[in-house]
Amino acid sequence: MNNNILNFFGQDAADISANRVESHDWQAAGVDCIYIIFITGRCGSTWLTHLLEDSGICGHPHELFNETLMPRFNKSIEAANFKEYFTGAVTQFSSGGRFGFKIDEWRLSHLLPLIDFRTLFPAEITRCFWMTRRDLVSQAFSFGRAKTTGHWHDFTAKTTEQKQDHVELSDARMWKEIIDILAKERRMAALFQREGIDYVPLDYEQMLADRLLTVMRVMIELGCRYEEINSFIQRMEDKTLRLEFGNKYEVLGRFCARYGRLLLTLDKERQEISTDELKRRLQLDYGLSLWERGTG
């Protein structure tokens, strides 16, 4: 299997054993708490992690193992291989005795061959979070729009005027994004079960309803003192902006009107319904085929 993390260092899968990180001296690194935010994407994680970073005591929980972002992080780490990169990331991106990062299912599949999860992240000092989004339709649209326009985030420091993105996403594109999200959720659930990972559930809607309370609860899980949390909450400032609506509701209005019954079933049976069953219903009930040639 191709490994994007190793590829960044000009290496390949043959170099996995030489780069494998089995453990780390967290005490020597001054880290008392490790935390990992597992994500599906377009779920509010950037919003959350920027606020945690701004606290000054929760490290810098970036996507440290995202191959598209590693060049930026490695400018300060200056690592020649993954082992050096991991050690440097802990040193560079820890604060307040805490080291955190966020990661999606795809990047995790490239990280896991390079580490021993249980020994590298001891359960007694590691906190795991699983961040999703209840509104699958909006999440799918957000993915489709971002992939089409290349416009993923707006930040107050870099944005003088927010763009109104107008994109047309076909029904097939919307359903492919929905099915992809569900598949990621299933694979992540399998990982949690396989590795015995106990996690705190988070979602985008919590952030929308009360971002202050959500951040407070995460910081409590990370062992931050009440006085520290309260001091930060009093001065907390959002630096991540919600993207403008553009023609979102025009596109989703038509989509929901046509597939309302199936979407309601999905809302009720999100954990149970298989992606193959969704494809079957789309083909039989709506004449929409998402099967690849030679399948179905």
Side-chain angles (χ1 to χ4, degrees):
M1 174 183 171
N2 192 41
N3 189 290
N4 289 341
I5 294 175
L6 290 182
N7 290 164
F8 170 70
F9 297 106
Q11 299 175 309
D12 56 33
D15 301 298
I16 285 179
S17 59
N19 280 275
R20 192 168 166 82
V21 179
E22 303 281 347
S23 61
H24 190 77
D25 191 341
W26 295 105
Q27 187 175 12
V31 173
D32 305 311
C33 176
I34 308 159
Y35 68 101
I36 306 167
I37 302 176
F38 298 101
I39 62 172
T40 50
R42 315 311 290 167
C43 59
S45 63
T46 299
W47 190 9
L48 172 64
T49 55
H50 274 74
L51 292 173
L52 291 172
E53 180 179 31
D54 286 348
S55 73
I57 56 173
C58 294
H60 307 270
H62 301 301
E63 287 189 80
L64 296 174
F65 306 105
N66 181 327
E67 74 286 349
T68 68
L69 301 176
M70 286 175 65
R72 171 158 59 94
F73 301 137
N74 203 43
K75 284 182 179 179
S76 57
I77 297 173
E78 298 182 333
N81 55 58
F82 175 70
K83 281 188 172 182
E84 291 180 5
Y85 181 83
F86 186 88
T87 300
V90 173
T91 302
Q92 294 272 340
F93 297 108
S94 298
S95 69
R98 298 175 182 88
F99 171 73
F101 63 92
K102 67 173 182 170
I103 192 164
D104 62 31
E105 181 271 335
W106 170 247
R107 271 76 191 206
L108 185 62
S109 71
H110 291 259
L111 176 64
L112 285 178
L114 296 171
I115 64 172
D116 185 313
F117 189 93
R118 296 189 189 191
T119 59
L120 182 57
F121 304 124
E124 59 270 19
I125 62 168
T126 302
R127 301 291 177 269
C128 294
F129 302 87
W130 173 217
M131 195 163 192
T132 57
R133 187 166 177 170
R134 296 178 211 172
D135 185 350
L136 270 174
V137 174
S138 286
Q139 187 177 15
F141 178 84
S142 184
F143 261 122
R145 177 174 62 180
K147 290 175 183 177
T148 300
T149 63
H151 185 194
W152 291 83
H153 301 288
D154 277 339
F155 300 103
T156 55
K158 299 179 180 179
T159 304
T160 55
E161 183 179 351
Q162 286 190 275
K163 291 172 58 180
Q164 292 275 357
D165 291 322
H166 290 263
V167 296
E168 289 296 333
L169 301 179
S170 67
D171 290 356
R173 177 66 180 276
M174 280 292 299
W175 278 110
K176 285 178 180 178
E177 295 292 354
I178 288 173
I179 288 170
D180 187 46
I181 293 166
L182 289 173
K184 290 176 183 176
E185 290 181 351
R186 306 288 162 75
R187 289 193 293 268
M188 198 69 88
L191 166 76
F192 294 151
Q193 185 173 24
R194 185 172 68 249
E195 297 290 342
I197 296 173
D198 187 24
Y199 62 84
V200 176
L202 296 170
D203 60 52
Y204 179 84
E205 285 74 13
Q206 283 176 277
M207 287 292 290
L208 276 183
D210 197 330
R211 72 195 190 289
L212 296 179
L213 181 60
T214 305
V215 171
M216 285 179 69
R217 292 182 65 182
V218 171
M219 292 179 74
I220 288 169
E221 285 290 331
L222 301 183
C224 300
R225 292 184 295 108
Y226 169 75
E227 294 79 11
E228 295 174 317
I229 298 172
N230 191 53
S231 173
F232 172 57
I233 293 299
Q234 296 300 320
R235 59 182 171 81
M236 193 172 84
E237 178 184 354
D238 279 337
K239 295 181 180 178
T240 307
L241 301 172
R242 292 181 66 192
L243 298 185
E244 291 292 332
F245 295 137
N247 65 333
K248 171 182 177 179
Y249 294 104
E250 179 184 341
V251 174
L252 296 190
R254 294 194 300 265
F255 184 78
C256 291
R258 182 172 187 191
Y259 300 100
R261 185 175 297 178
L262 183 55
L263 291 171
L264 180 59
T265 299
L266 185 54
D267 285 339
K268 293 179 178 179
E269 303 175 16
R270 180 168 177 163
Q271 304 304 322
E272 293 81 23
I273 193 168
S274 71
T275 54
D276 282 351
E277 174 62 14
L278 267 179
K279 291 178 182 178
R280 188 187 70 82
R281 294 192 191 185
L282 284 167
Q283 185 164 30
L284 291 178
D285 298 341
Y286 300 95
L288 181 65
S289 177
L290 299 182
W291 297 103
E292 295 180 5
R293 289 184 180 180
T295 66

